[in-house]
Amino acid sequence: EVQLVESGGGLVQPGGSLRLSCVASGFTFSSYTMTWVRQAPGKGLEWVSFIIGSSRDIYYADSVKGRFTISRDDAKNSLFLQMDSLRAEDTAVYYCARDVDNVTPDYMDVWGKGTTVTVSS
Amino acid sequence: EIVMTQSPATLSVSPGERATLSCRASQSLGSNLAWYQQKPGQAPRLLIYAASTRATGIPARFSGSGFGTEFTLTISSLQSEDFAVYYCQQYKEWPPYTFGQGTKLEIK
């Protein structure tokens, strides 16, 4: 079964850090572009970052650029999101998702269940 | 950045009836558009890609149409499990991926 499982969410104070993980199973993880998407409470979906499968090129939303770092460990079938200098507006459910295209990011066909990040004092 | 606008924000429809959801892009996408369904407390689920192609396992009552800047998701005969929030997403230009703000489909 193709599956993504996120972990690492929690409560953190403003200015703090958190590292999210996403473990993949059931498919050849190294062949895929992987994406983080977040959803603030009661709000819509917001793309955060992706790392392209073929080139390992990385892109970020302006709202997180310079504060978040995406990475992957293909040997461990894992995707990560290091989140530093966290703000209240980063409070959201963070989803890990698989992109269908290895070269040009397209749409996401597999999603994890998400992990909740709350930034509050 | 391509801005995606969905309408209406909320759509009230009775079970068994047809629902039509709209998505408009601020510039031409060709057919580079996807639709997702999200139920409360769940992750989004891919319904449609390339504007009109159903994803694996998606029932035939879901259909997508459109090209360029105007797109439509139609659910031909609403089932109870179809009441959810629907998002469109463009993948013509990135970064960033952009999503519409969502349409909530509720029971009338």
Side-chain angles (χ1 to χ4, degrees):
Chain A
E1 179 190 5
V2 174
Q3 196 172 8
L4 297 169
V5 179
E6 303 95 335
S7 62
L11 174 63
V12 60
Q13 292 187 339
S17 297
L18 216 51
R19 179 176 168 88
L20 305 184
S21 299
C22 170
V23 177
S25 59
F27 65 98
T28 305
F29 177 76
S30 60
S31 297
Y32 287 86
T33 293
M34 296 300 296
T35 300
W36 288 99
V37 174
R38 69 184 180 183
Q39 186 170 37
K43 303 297 184 182
L45 302 172
E46 179 189 16
W47 169 74
V48 173
S49 178
F50 52 60
I51 180 166
I52 296 178
S54 60
S55 65
R56 298 302 190 257
D57 286 345
I58 287 171
Y59 298 87
Y60 299 99
D62 287 345
S63 58
V64 308
K65 199 174 295 182
R67 302 187 299 120
F68 289 13
T69 303
I70 190 173
S71 62
R72 63 192 297 164
D73 183 342
D74 291 343
K76 296 183 178 180
N77 291 339
S78 295
L79 178 72
F80 305 101
L81 187 68
Q82 176 67 41
M83 304 187 295
D84 298 320
S85 303
L86 282 162
R87 307 166 180 167
E89 54 265 36
D90 296 319
T91 294
V93 176
Y94 284 74
Y95 295 102
C96 164
R98 184 182 82 170
D99 198 285
V100 295
D101 197 295
N102 193 34
V103 177
T104 304
D106 283 343
Y107 51 91
M108 292 147 285
D109 65 340
V110 179
W111 295 68
K113 293 184 177 181
T115 188
T116 300
V117 172
T118 303
V119 184
S120 175
S121 55
Chain B
E1 172 177 328
I2 297 177
V3 177
M4 306 299 295
T5 304
Q6 292 186 241
S7 61
T10 303
L11 182 63
S12 299
V13 183
S14 300
E17 293 189 341
R18 173 189 297 258
T20 302
L21 291 67
S22 296
C23 176
R24 174 177 293 178
S26 61
Q27 56 187 271
S28 179
L29 306 181
S31 58
N32 293 298
L33 183 103
W35 288 95
Y36 301 89
Q37 176 194 66
Q38 187 179 34
K39 297 178 181 179
Q42 295 186 17
R45 172 195 182 196
L46 177 67
L47 294 177
I48 301 284
Y49 61 92
S52 61
T53 304
R54 278 190 303 278
T56 303
I58 301 303
R61 65 180 181 273
F62 290 90
S63 63
S65 62
F67 185 88
T69 61
E70 300 283 345
F71 299 88
T72 300
L73 175 68
T74 302
I75 311 170
S76 60
S77 178
L78 280 164
Q79 307 296 304
S80 57
E81 62 266 29
D82 300 335
F83 292 96
V85 179
Y86 292 84
Y87 294 94
C88 59
Q89 176 231 332
Q90 68 82 19
Y91 49 95
K92 171 67 173 177
E93 257 186 29
W94 50 265
Y97 281 154
T98 45
F99 294 89
Q101 78 279 20
T103 290
K104 181 180 181 180
L105 181 57
E106 63 177 27
I107 300 175
K108 186 174 182 180

